[in-house]
Structure formats: C-alpha cells, structure tokens
Amino acid sequence: MVKSLLQVSDNRDGTTTPLTRKMFVEWAEDNMPLLASTLLTFVHRLIFHTRPLPPSRIPYIQPEHYHVSDIFNHEDARLFAFGCMTPKLAGKWHRLYSSEQNGRSFNRLEHSILGYGGPTLMVIRTTGENEATLGAFMSSPWKESSKFHGDSDSFLFQLEPTLGVYRPVGGKDENIMYLNPSTRHTGGSNGLPHGIGFGGSLNKPRLFIPESLDALGYASSLGFTYQMGNLLPEESLETFEIKVLEIWGVGDDALVTQALRDRANFRDRTDSNIYKARHISDKSQFVEDLQSGLIPNALYKHQEDTRGRADFSVDEAHDGYTVDRE
C-alpha cells in the first residue's frame, strides 16, 4: 500500500515530485475510498461507543475469514486494504473454493460459485520469479455464459507487490465478466477461450483464468472496460502461472448466509432437473413430443420433409408412409 502511494509521486524521467494533499486524495479515491471511514469509525467508537453511526455515514468494518487460507492469515494487514476498497468486502468472508484445499479442478470451481447469491472475491497468488497477488471483486452472482454479465460495482486489483484498483470506466455495466466452460458446448468448441474472463473482449479479456488451472493465465494493463493499470509487476510479461487461487463469498453474516442458502436451492433445482431428464414416466407423451417437433430431433424429420409431396402419403395408424409409384 505504501509502495503504491509513493509511486504516485514518481515521474517518468526517474525524478520524484513531493507528494501533495491533492495527489493523496486522488490516490485514496481510486484505490481505498473508505480510508476516511477508518478514522471516522475510530473516533465515533471512542467517544460515542454506545450509539450507532448516523445512516449517512459508512462505517469501516474489518474483513474476517473463518476458513483456512493459503494466501491470508487471520491477522493479515492486507485485509485492511480490502476493507477500504468497498463496503461489500467488510465483515465475514466464507471460502467457496481453494485450489489447494479443493483441488485444481475447474468443475469444482464452478460447482462452488454457481448459484451463490452474493458478491465474491477471487484472489490469485502467482508463482515464478516475479510473484504477485491479483484478482477480481464480483458484485453480482456468477452464471455460465459465453457472453459478458455483471455490474459496475465490480473491479480488478493488484494487491502485491503494489496496490492498484481498477474500476469500470464511466460506471458502465459492459464486458464485466464471463464464465465459459467447455462443458457448455457438447458439439465442440464455440471458438471462444474456455475459462473465466474479465473486461476486454471475449477473444482477449483483460484478465483471463484458463479452464486448465495448470495452464498460463493472462493479465493485461490495458483494456476499454476497466481503468488502465498493472495487474502484474511491471517487469513481468502478460502471462502468469497460478500458485494458489481462492474464491470467497463476502459481506456480513446475514448476506453470506442467504447467499449460501441460494446456492443450496440452486443445486437442488439442478439435481431435480437432471433426475427428470433421466426418468421419463410417460414415454408415449415423450414420443408424441418427438413426432410433433416439440423436442427438436432428426428421428421423425423425414415425415415432415415428405408431407405435401404428391407421391407420398403418411400412414399415421402404422407409424410409416407409403410411396405411390406408377
């Protein structure tokens, strides 16, 4: 955090400009807009500890996680930075997925986040010569799609080696994120990268996590969705190797509890639909739906193709057709 602040006063020619109040305020508004709330909350609790903050004031609430993390510890000072980024990162965190604890499986990753009804935080620790911690905060629920979704409360960030937060330009809900697994395309690839993408375009996202978590990810400093800035160290290339990837459900206790309940309901509905697809009680109705075209298929397509021809007549009673030849 301090390194990020000092970089504000660095000039391109290698010289340094004294840090001004205006430069500090602009840096805080971009990266830690709730920084002022920390002092406000401290003073209020010191003097008016028996009274709640006025509704017009946003309190600072330290993020806490109650599960094992291979990136953070319970007293990690970096959690303070997250708490200053958005009120939605305050309070209780619930681990939804960990590459170390749950395995490096994209199916397990998907299973952990689909149906979860609250905001989530994805944190990636890279490996290699220039290690970094980066990721994305997603304000809206995930869904499988080869199209972008999400809202402008989401953002990308670099946490280490320096702090940088990159929010959607102009507050637009465009090209925020997508989740495009290969399992959605039973007939083969749709020509788009399979994995998780943020910003940029479908073919070249600003940040991309491949479906194979052992493959190289991609992170660019440029893009038209999020503000420009480095997600990886300046000396790094635009690719990275994932050492640890964690996804957390964030927010207060009530929000996390309801979001987990939403996920359980989603899984119940999914299991029910799969069961219904495998067990058809009325097979005659199923055959009628096939014949009528209600269920798309090629089995009875020949009947429709031949209707209306002078030399064909359909024998409905015997499920066949006859050909009149002279």
Side-chain angles (χ1 to χ4, degrees), residues 115 258-271:
Q258 181 57 51
L260 290 171
R261 191 176 294 121
D262 293 340
R263 187 180 69 173
N265 292 335
F266 172 83
R267 290 176 177 178
D268 288 343
R269 292 194 303 271
T270 302
D271 291 344

Side-chain angles (χ1 to χ4, degrees), residues 108-127:
R108 292 181 183 177
L109 186 156
E110 268 198 293
H111 184 68
S112 71
I113 60 177
L114 288 178
Y116 183 82
T120 52
L121 179 73
M122 175 185 289
V123 186
I124 303 167
R125 183 68 179 170
T126 69
T127 187

